Amino acid sequence: MTITGEALIGGVSVRGEGAAQRAFNPGTEQQFGEEFNAVSVEQVNQACRLAGAAFDTFRSTSDAARAELLDAIARNIMDLGSELVERAMAETGLPQARLEGERARTCNQLKMFATLLREGSWCDPRIDVALPTRTPPRSDLRFRLIGVGPVAVFGASNFPLAFSVAGGDTASALAAGCPVVVKAHSAHPGTSELVARAVVAAVAQCGLPAGVFALLTGSGSHIGQTLVAHPAIQAVGFTGSRSGGTALMATAAARKQPIPVYAEMSSINPVFLLPEALAGRPDSIAAGFAASLTLGVGQFCTNPGLVLGIEGPGLERFCASAAQALGGVAPGTMLSAGIAGSYQRGVQALAGNAAVETVIATMHSGCKGGAALFRTTAQAFLAQHALSDEVFGPASLVIACRDIDEMIAVAEHLEGQLTATLQMADGDAEAARKLLPVLERKAGRILANGYPTGVEVTSAMVHGGPFPSTSDGRSTSVGTAAIYRFLRAVCYQDLPATLLPPVLRDENPGNTWRRRDGILGQH
Amino acid sequence: MTITGEALIGGVSVRGEGAAQRAFNPGTEQQFGEEFNAVSVEQVNQACRLAGAAFDTFRSTSDAARAELLDAIARNIMDLGSELVERAMAETGLPQARLEGERARTCNQLKMFATLLREGSWCDPRIDVALPTRTPPRSDLRFRLIGVGPVAVFGASNFPLAFSVAGGDTASALAAGCPVVVKAHSAHPGTSELVARAVVAAVAQCGLPAGVFALLTGSGSHIGQTLVAHPAIQAVGFTGSRSGGTALMATAAARKQPIPVYAEMSSINPVFLLPEALAGRPDSIAAGFAASLTLGVGQFCTNPGLVLGIEGPGLERFCASAAQALGGVAPGTMLSAGIAGSYQRGVQALAGNAAVETVIATMHSGCKGGAALFRTTAQAFLAQHALSDEVFGPASLVIACRDIDEMIAVAEHLEGQLTATLQMADGDAEAARKLLPVLERKAGRILANGYPTGVEVTSAMVHGGPFPSTSDGRSTSVGTAAIYRFLRAVCYQDLPATLLPPVLRDENPGNTWRRRDGILGQH
């Protein structure tokens, strides 16, 4: 497939009317390839209008038809073959195996939502039958969830496939019957165009209105702001920085009709080294931690950026062992010059902080980032809010606590997180039991004896958490529950059966799980 | 029980430290009874701190224990006997039968959530078992919904029981394991205190921390603003005016950690008179409409404030018949002098609008409000945004449309609504089919051949809708689905079974419906 640098609006290629920009290869530190022009305000509006016009047709398709669309997108992405992987490698510096894995994950995610649609109960169908002889009589009431409307999606730089053009937000929005307008990330514009062409082809193959999907090209805050402000857009999915996410939240809240924003922003993913585990296996914990910290050059939202342990020989041993492991990891190419620069500044700020000791800081230069480990005391951490800020990359901060109570006090002090991890042995159960209620309030996912990087795409996953890890801690961006972010409830009272959606008619030909008078069953 | 005019914080009576105010009887237009003092900022903060401190204990109670609390609240409310009904009558001007019905509804609502808790699947438990031999291995993942944290509740003036101190938001928040801090509505302070004492007694009877519930007294925006801004508060339930709701939304969005606001604000509940129904039974539709419009002196969120019909003899007959019916309804006592004054101004503005014809406007004086019916053309309605504003009270506006397409254009022009109603006959099916997709986008509940007043408290109800009918159209304030507004998802990865919440352990002693690897079952 040819990359042209164009946007895709209404199912056709259109060149942006604004400034041109080329892709950047962080490995060679060179720009390369085609020019991508920023779309104009009017082009953004056009994509939104088409999405709005396509909504009723798209959401009235059968679950099977939308499942087929998701499957077709997955097939078309695979059909892009090595061109997609190679382009993504050039644009992100990520290695082939990682991108092939991410592609598989992206396609599995699309297929997971197809399976969810075919199962049918995603729309939470409910029927309370009429009770005409009751005093007063009860009407016939039927409930289902429907799509909220067109969704604006802003992809992530660190997952050019799984959290981008056809990533989780797009997959769940399409499953929900919501058209999608994607703002391509300027760090991987060619990857975005290839995937968008796969989506556009699938929309056409399935005979759906072209307004169901659009890709907007280029940089400039006018694109995102116009997109989020457009009246047709009814929800926003975003993965990126805290400043970017909060700017979109402000735009969405200032609309005449405010809309929900699901922004995944900032998380330092604390790891709690409980005493018996730390005493018993400091080296193996350190090895696992170092591997998780440096995976993908530390560029995961779930990167373990904070480690809490009780001061003593175990923690000393953990730090020494982690330093040794991190020292053996070569600096890696980061996703972009901007991310590498931010990482370098973050590491320098920690190294220059009088309350912080540098355990190890490996070399970095240009777009290459090396691992770094720092340590401080709980008291210093509690006193300096800046030490809670995410440093995006392979850096982490060890907090030496005097005892479990101080560890709990630090946990209580933390902002919302995507994950929290316990390293624990049998004898740590009491300490874990004390920490757990705090962690449940602070994080969306709680792990024992694992590492937070690696997010399974499945029914029980939660990738989300209280602010500022996300803008809306009620929701997840990964797993089947992600569909709920793009749904709202509608009740039909005494509507003639012929006007009811099939899933709410008495006969239930699909044997869908429904609640009748509150009772779950395939009835 | 004695009404003292005090707030209830930490399970004990405390007098507010601010200005005093007495209850107002809109029937006699006199103040009466005890003085209620406005709580201070520090008293608000104290209630919030206690709620925050009680959260972990409260949410870790069993479903059965919280069900018992809800049942105990219902019993204690009934035990207040005629004192509660008489006080509410004096404070609201609502008649005895209505308030007894509302009390029954309030208690049934509490019991409905108790039943939901005992069924157990409200927390959407999910288990994806470990796959240790997969490449890469899959961890054990378990998912449930937990309470978001303490909830601030602002009751409604028009439902002093069902949408107030122990109304829907309080019931669903307590069911979810969230402590509740209620700001008493200054239009029914004594009713609020009586119900709050019933709740406080139930909390004590159930051996729960006193911080689980508090009642704040008095007027003044400092109370609401301090409450919503307090860091312990994690969600807000509000029923009231659009200006009040949007002010709370702004406060919640400006917090360091923004929180969700569920504000029910403004709805004009369009009724669509489809041609064949209008031709066939204009008189009976008019009679039902007039009864719905004047029920409770028009003071329902679901009051039919807009009627759309196609110009012609049927619509003329409907207007004449409705005018006759409305002329026979005596003006009723409205809830407060403020509401009666606003209603009078709204009616006068319509009567003085050059594009609007007065079909009938009955007398009103002081706190008494009489019914009013106006009419205008679709073109005038589309041209004047002010004609879409809610006039809270027994007034409605008929829109004469030239044809179905113009009716659909008006529907498309409407803001979000709680309800939309179709009056239809068999021959109207095609028109209904055209309107339905628009109404699904605009409203939370769609009725056929009924009237929107009267909201059933049951599993399939939706009382909510797109902005500005509510601040968050994804949600409902009535029915079992209301519990979702106060829940968020948490995933446990490889957590030892002894640390897992009982509902996620393998053995499933309660036979709770769960998803295992995505499949629903009592497994």
Side-chain angles (χ1 to χ4, degrees), chain B residues 58-320:
Chain B
F58 185 47
R59 70 187 176 88
S60 69
T61 55
S62 67
D63 289 351
R66 291 198 309 292
E68 178 45 40
L69 170 67
L70 296 170
D71 283 343
I73 294 170
R75 276 196 306 273
N76 291 352
I77 289 173
M78 290 311 296
D79 286 349
L80 291 168
S82 59
E83 183 185 5
L84 176 64
V85 175
E86 285 160 14
R87 179 73 185 204
M89 288 168 68
E91 291 186 332
T92 64
L94 294 170
Q96 179 176 347
R98 148 69 196 269
L99 286 167
E100 286 175 352
E102 190 181 329
R103 179 179 61 179
R105 174 199 169 131
T106 304
C107 293
N108 286 338
Q109 185 163 254
L110 289 157
K111 291 180 205 162
M112 177 189 75
F113 282 108
T115 303
L116 183 77
L117 289 177
R118 292 187 176 109
E119 193 263 353
S121 67
W122 63 275
C123 68
D124 194 10
R126 301 174 180 215
I127 298 175
D128 294 332
V129 295
L131 301 175
T133 60
R134 197 194 65 173
T135 311
R138 183 172 85 179
S139 296
D140 180 273
L141 295 162
R142 298 176 188 235
F143 169 114
R144 67 162 175 164
L145 303 174
I146 68 170
V148 291
V151 173
V153 172
F154 294 80
S157 62
N158 60 339
F159 277 92
L161 301 172
F163 286 80
S164 191
V165 174
D169 279 332
T170 297
S172 55
L174 292 176
C178 301
V180 171
V181 181
V182 175
K183 156 78 176 68
H185 200 292
S186 55
H188 50 261
T191 307
S192 295
E193 183 182 331
L194 286 172
V195 174
R197 289 190 181 277
V199 178
V200 166
V203 169
Q205 286 154 12
C206 293
L208 294 166
V212 163
F213 179 83
L215 179 80
L216 305 177
T217 47
S219 299
S221 64
H222 73 281
I223 301 174
Q225 296 295 320
T226 303
L227 179 55
V228 172
H230 193 282
I233 297 297
Q234 293 298 303
V236 179
F238 169 89
T239 309
S241 69
R242 188 165 176 173
S243 59
T246 52
L248 294 182
M249 289 169 72
T251 301
R255 286 167 53 116
K256 187 179 156 206
Q257 176 223 4
I259 55 172
V261 174
Y262 299 99
E264 183 190 321
M265 299 183 288
S266 168
S267 184
I268 53 175
N269 304 298
V271 177
F272 296 84
L273 309 177
L274 298 189
E276 194 170 299
L278 188 57
R281 47 186 175 89
D283 294 337
S284 70
I285 295 175
F289 162 75
S292 179
L293 182 66
T294 54
L295 190 71
V297 202
Q299 299 165 117
F300 288 103
C301 315
T302 52
N303 200 48
L306 199 72
V307 179
L308 298 99
I310 294 170
E311 55 194 18
L315 189 60
E316 297 310 315
R317 180 66 189 248
F318 168 83
C319 287

Side-chain angles (χ1 to χ4, degrees), chain A residues 128-505:
Chain A
D128 293 333
V129 295
L131 300 175
T133 60
R134 196 193 65 173
T135 310
R138 184 172 85 179
S139 296
D140 180 270
L141 295 162
R142 297 176 190 237
F143 168 115
R144 67 162 174 164
L145 303 174
I146 68 170
V148 291
V151 174
V153 172
F154 295 80
S157 61
N158 60 340
F159 278 90
L161 301 172
F163 286 81
S164 192
V165 174
D169 279 331
T170 298
S172 55
L174 293 177
C178 300
V180 170
V181 180
V182 175
K183 156 77 174 67
H185 200 292
S186 55
H188 50 262
T191 307
S192 295
E193 183 182 332
L194 287 172
V195 174
R197 289 188 181 279
V199 178
V200 166
V203 169
Q205 285 153 14
C206 293
L208 295 166
V212 164
F213 179 82
L215 180 79
L216 305 177
T217 47
S219 301
S221 63
H222 72 282
I223 301 174
Q225 296 295 321
T226 304
L227 179 55
V228 172
H230 194 282
I233 297 297
Q234 294 297 304
V236 179
F238 168 90
T239 311
S241 68
R242 187 165 177 173
S243 59
T246 51
L248 294 183
M249 288 169 73
T251 301
R255 288 167 51 118
K256 187 180 156 206
Q257 176 223 3
I259 55 172
V261 174
Y262 300 100
E264 184 190 320
M265 299 184 289
S266 168
S267 185
I268 53 175
N269 304 297
V271 177
F272 296 85
L273 310 178
L274 298 189
E276 194 170 298
L278 188 58
R281 48 187 175 87
D283 294 337
S284 71
I285 295 174
F289 161 75
S292 178
L293 182 66
T294 55
L295 190 70
V297 202
Q299 299 165 117
F300 287 103
C301 316
T302 52
N303 200 48
L306 199 72
V307 180
L308 298 99
I310 293 170
E311 54 193 18
L315 189 60
E316 297 310 316
R317 179 66 188 244
F318 168 84
C319 287
S321 190
Q324 191 176 12
L326 294 171
V329 179
T333 301
M334 300 193 78
L335 290 157
S336 71
I339 284 173
S342 290
Y343 176 61
Q344 196 160 339
R345 284 191 296 279
V347 166
Q348 282 167 350
L350 284 168
N353 188 313
V356 174
E357 176 193 336
T358 300
V359 179
I360 184 171
T362 63
M363 300 281 291
H364 49 254
S365 66
C367 284
K368 291 217 187 295
L373 188 65
F374 300 94
R375 66 180 283 174
T376 189
T377 62
Q379 283 182 299
F381 183 79
L382 292 171
Q384 286 191 43
H385 185 75
L387 292 177
S388 299
D389 289 345
E390 183 181 19
V391 176
F392 191 72
S396 193
L397 177 61
V398 176
I399 311 288
C401 305
R402 280 176 306 207
D403 51 29
I404 281 286
D405 289 340
E406 196 173 57
M407 188 183 272
I408 293 171
V410 172
E412 195 67 77
H413 171 80
L414 292 173
E415 294 186 298
Q417 304 292 335
L418 293 172
T419 71
T421 300
L422 298 167
Q423 292 292 340
M424 59 179 291
D426 287 350
D428 293 316
E430 195 196 342
R433 214 178 291 279
K434 280 188 188 171
L435 264 169
L436 204 50
V438 183
L439 303 187
E440 284 179 325
R441 279 188 275 109
K442 297 289 177 176
R445 179 163 56 109
I446 298 166
L447 302 85
N449 297 324
Y451 295 93
T453 46
V455 177
E456 194 70 44
V457 179
T458 182
S459 173
M461 177 50 63
V462 176
H463 189 62
F467 188 91
S469 67
T470 76
S471 56
D472 187 337
R474 291 165 292 179
S475 164
T476 174
S477 65
V478 177
T480 54
I483 197 170
Y484 294 120
R485 45 175 57 185
F486 301 125
L487 296 173
R488 49 173 278 264
V490 176
C491 170
Y492 305 87
Q493 180 169 329
D494 290 332
L495 209 66
T498 53
L499 291 179
L500 282 171
V503 75
L504 292 183
R505 293 182 195 162

